[in-house]
Amino acid sequence: MASSVSDPDPAAAPPLIGVTTYLQRAQTGVWDLEASFLPRVYMDGVIAAGGVPVLLPPQPTLPGVVDAVLERLDGLIVAGGADVDPARYGAEAHPRTDAPQTLRDEWEFALLGRALELDLPFLGICRGMQVLNVLRGGTLHQHLPDLVGDARYQLGRGVFARVAVEVDEGSRLATLVGERIQAPVYHHQAIDRPGEGLVATARSADGIVEAVELEGATHGLAVQWHPEEDPDDRRLFQSVVDAARAHRDRRKD
């Protein structure tokens, strides 16, 4: 007997957004162990924008794994976290640079690199912007207090500062958030030399790059600040989810 429930419309299904995660020591209850995790606020941002977050923990990039993952996703978010290994951009480690997280670096560089080849919509957040820049051959300032004289961009103890950010008129980012915002920041590194094809479209009053866009990408945007920390402003999440939905629909045509 035929079902009385109609088949769901694939076009109405929410897009799947891959979000990279941490992999490091964590404590919960009686447990103290290596764990993959992601702050809930990232997932909240994707869900509020109409997407489904799919967590992508660091793992070996075995042959075929990255393609198998990305062919099932409609968009990608590279999340915040530990510093990128400076060896990847030919630099010696600063005393304040985090110890390398080789597995996470390898995983995210492989994911994002292939995502760019596929023109998969993506959003980089904090570390995610730095991964994008280094992937494209750029370099990083390893410790901003050496440049600006204090810790205004990373207050410590998990306290986010608010920094005035000027956004370039006519940029994609400006169409999303306007030309001036107060951005929640928690970073002690930033872009030094932009990578190939990346255009800096937002800066703080100190001249620190706070956003880049990838030329030629359908949706290639990364910000140095933390939009997930502002529950009243989901515009960047909405942008990548909308682009992911359009990307999925184009693949079906």
Side-chain angles (χ1 to χ4, degrees):
M1 184 174 66
S3 171
S4 61
V5 179
S6 60
D7 292 333
D9 179 5
L16 301 180
I17 310 298
V19 190
T20 62
T21 77
Y22 293 70
L23 179 60
Q24 59 194 66
R25 202 86 190 163
Q27 293 181 326
T28 176
V30 298
W31 307 107
D32 181 352
L33 72 175
E34 287 283 314
S36 181
F37 61 93
L38 185 74
R40 175 179 171 176
V41 285
Y42 286 94
M43 294 173 278
D44 288 345
V46 173
I47 293 168
V52 174
V54 178
L55 302 192
L56 304 174
Q59 57 195 276
T61 51
L62 300 173
V65 168
V66 168
D67 280 341
V69 169
L70 293 180
E71 72 183 14
R72 291 165 171 80
L73 297 177
D74 305 308
L76 177 67
I77 295 174
V78 182
D83 300 332
V84 174
D85 185 352
R88 284 187 171 267
Y89 49 96
E92 294 291 330
H94 187 283
R96 298 297 297 275
T97 295
D98 297 333
Q101 295 196 0
T102 304
L103 187 64
R104 184 173 182 184
D105 282 353
E106 290 177 352
W107 175 240
E108 292 184 352
F109 275 74
L111 276 177
L112 184 55
R114 184 60 175 142
L116 300 189
E117 294 175 355
L118 297 172
D119 196 23
L120 190 73
F122 73 87
L123 172 65
I125 295 177
C126 196
R127 168 189 159 90
M129 186 171 93
Q130 296 165 10
V131 169
L132 172 65
N133 192 59
V134 175
L135 176 67
R136 301 293 294 183
T139 61
L140 303 177
H141 293 297
Q142 291 191 53
H143 195 53
L144 286 180
D146 292 345
L147 295 180
V148 302
D150 58 37
R152 71 191 72 171
Y153 291 92
Q154 190 179 70
L155 300 178
R157 299 181 180 274
V159 177
F160 287 81
R162 289 275 174 170
V163 170
V165 173
E166 299 285 344
V167 183
D168 288 355
E169 180 181 3
S171 65
R172 181 179 183 86
L173 182 60
T175 67
L176 299 174
V177 302
E179 295 178 18
R180 184 177 175 85
I181 65 168
Q182 291 288 324
V185 297
Y186 198 88
H187 62 95
H188 82 115
Q189 298 195 341
I191 286 180
D192 178 10
R193 185 183 72 247
E196 181 181 358
L198 297 181
V199 179
T201 55
R203 296 171 181 81
S204 68
D206 299 306
I208 302 302
V209 175
E210 288 289 336
V212 293
E213 301 179 27
L214 178 60
E215 294 179 320
T218 300
H219 186 285
L221 174 63
V223 296
Q224 189 61 71
W225 70 84
H226 284 270
E228 77 280 3
E229 291 296 324
D230 195 342
D232 296 322
D233 185 354
R234 299 302 195 190
R235 290 174 292 183
L236 294 184
F237 286 96
Q238 192 68 59
S239 177
V240 71
V241 169
D242 289 348
R245 182 179 290 106
H247 176 80
R248 179 197 63 194
D249 294 345
R250 286 193 301 270
R251 286 191 302 189
K252 293 177 179 178
D253 292 340

